Amino acid sequence: MVILHADADAFFAAVEQRDDPRMRGRPMVVAHEVVACPSYEARALGIHAGMPLRQVQRRWPQVLVSGYRDEAYAEASAALFALFHRFTPLVEPGSVEEAFLDVTGRDDGDPVGLARALREAARAEVGLPVSVGVGRTKLMAKLASRRAKPDGLVVVDAGLEAHLRPGLRLDDLWGVGATTYEKLHATGLFDVADLDGLDVEDLTFVVGTAMARRLVSIARGTDDATIRLPGARRSVSASRSFPATRTRSKVVAVLDTCIERAVTRVRGLDDPPRLPRRLEVLVRYDDGTTAVERAPLDAPTLDPAALRTAAGQLLEQTAYDRDGRGVTLVGVTLPLPAPA
């Protein structure tokens, strides 16, 4: 098997630098009150996603700021995936800017050459830097692309994999979150080598059956290399985080922006677009807890005004403005019917 993991570097920031020559080679961020994506030049200063924009501007006044342009990112993502599909039909999206590609038998025995060709095409045709990892499994390809950033190529061949695999930290494995790692850590398991000799039954009581199977397969080198082709999207979401606030007008304005972004995304999926029959609104508070309200729409629609009205009613049901806690994120989800 030959699996590539292709990942556009600092995607939102890269699109802005591509489209605005003033931002190229300079520290900049895509942000609206909170940093969504810093360029690599900004990351070198210590700026990271989630930072309040005011803090960034106060400490680094030279940093340029771009607003979020949903349509530009959607167009760049579509161009990127069209490019991926030129190299292989077996493409599994990870997000709007990354995917696994199975190029087994399509690389003419030269996976490095194919990966280089993909990177060159992405730069020339889409105008974006793409880092690529090459491996025998999705895990190895993903780890390789992480190490390739920014704008690089890393290959994990069979010999390097045999050397690297036992020493991989469990908390560095794709899919192993903080909670799972804490459970493994508590039982004295820190890296893949510590899993040697353990079977699924040994690990199930610690992390559950599904994760136990995954960890055992990683330890034995039989982990996943299957590309899963995406089906039709069943929902579209849009959300935005911001510094904690209890200001009603601020929360409502963010919610309206999320509705507009979600509608744009739904319209870009199908022609004609599928009309949602339900709506969900999510509010996250400054203590990390969330509130979600759901309701059917009066009629299937993508009319922004109708959706804003319905979303506003659901927002009221969260009682966020009477709760006393600050709101740090607002989001909407539009569940979609199956394609006709």
Side-chain angles (χ1 to χ4, degrees):
M1 299 293 293
V2 180
I3 305 296
L4 307 185
H5 183 256
D7 192 354
D9 302 316
F11 179 62
F12 297 155
V15 171
E16 299 303 334
Q17 290 181 315
R18 178 196 68 182
D19 294 348
D20 188 344
R22 296 178 301 114
M23 295 189 175
R24 294 174 192 167
R26 300 182 63 183
M28 56 81 60
V29 297
V30 176
H32 186 95
E33 298 196 21
V34 173
V35 174
C37 181
S39 68
Y40 276 94
E41 296 86 356
R43 296 179 192 197
L45 299 175
I47 298 170
H48 57 79
M51 268 190 174
L53 181 57
R54 288 183 180 177
Q55 177 185 343
V56 171
Q57 293 176 313
R58 183 172 59 251
R59 185 171 178 183
W60 298 282
Q62 76 276 25
V63 172
L64 302 178
V65 179
S66 171
Y68 190 95
R69 297 188 300 141
D70 190 68
E71 290 188 10
Y73 309 139
E75 290 174 1
S77 175
L80 200 59
F81 275 84
L83 175 67
F84 293 162
H85 279 94
R86 285 213 329 251
F87 284 80
T88 175
L90 302 178
V91 177
E92 178 181 334
S95 65
V96 296
E97 80 277 11
E98 65 171 307
F100 292 103
L101 292 76
D102 185 343
V103 296
T104 307
R106 300 174 187 275
D107 58 357
D108 295 325
D110 183 14
V112 174
L114 186 146
R116 285 175 178 158
L118 186 151
R119 283 174 23 81
E120 290 169 2
R123 177 72 78 172
E125 300 174 26
V126 189
L128 297 177
V130 172
S131 291
V132 176
V134 183
R136 186 182 58 84
T137 68
K138 290 197 286 190
L139 171 64
M140 288 298 150
K142 178 89 168 181
L143 292 174
S145 72
R146 284 183 190 171
R147 286 155 178 76
K149 288 183 172 292
D151 196 15
L153 167 62
V154 169
V155 179
V156 177
D157 59 20
L160 183 56
E161 178 182 339
H163 174 73
L164 290 177
R165 186 179 286 271
L168 292 175
R169 288 175 52 91
L170 297 179
D171 58 342
D172 198 34
L173 298 180
W174 168 50
V176 176
T179 301
T180 298
Y181 180 67
E182 288 175 5
K183 295 176 181 178
L184 294 166
H185 187 175
T187 59
L189 302 173
F190 301 93
D191 53 38
V192 170
D194 292 332
L195 302 174
D196 187 38
L198 299 179
D199 57 26
V200 173
E201 289 73 20
D202 297 323
L203 291 171
T204 294
F205 79 97
V206 179
V207 293
T209 302
M211 180 56 70
R213 288 174 177 164
R214 172 166 166 72
L215 291 173
V216 168
S217 69
I218 289 172
R220 296 174 180 174
T222 59
D223 45 298
D224 190 16
T226 303
I227 298 298
R228 292 170 176 80
L229 302 180
R233 289 281 297 271
R234 299 308 304 269
S235 67
V236 167
S237 299
S239 64
R240 202 177 85 198
S241 58
F242 41 85
T245 183
R246 289 192 289 271
T247 303
R248 181 184 182 83
S249 59
K250 169 64 177 177
V251 175
V252 171
V254 172
L255 179 65
D256 289 349
T257 299
C258 290
I259 287 289
E260 293 171 4
R261 287 170 55 191
V263 168
T264 298
R265 290 173 181 173
V266 172
R267 292 191 184 280
L269 292 177
D270 306 285
D271 186 19
R274 288 174 283 157
L275 303 182
R277 298 183 175 94
R278 298 182 58 81
L279 176 67
E280 300 177 5
V281 170
L282 178 145
V283 172
R284 180 181 298 159
Y285 296 103
D286 54 13
D287 63 357
T289 60
T290 59
V292 179
E293 294 291 336
R294 305 176 177 87
L297 297 168
D298 291 338
T301 184
L302 276 177
D303 176 50
L307 292 172
R308 282 195 297 269
T309 298
Q313 294 171 351
L314 292 177
L315 182 65
E316 291 297 321
Q317 293 177 26
T318 69
Y320 74 96
D321 55 345
R322 301 185 296 278
D323 184 275
R325 292 173 291 179
V327 176
T328 61
L329 179 143
V330 173
V332 297
T333 297
L334 301 176
L336 301 175

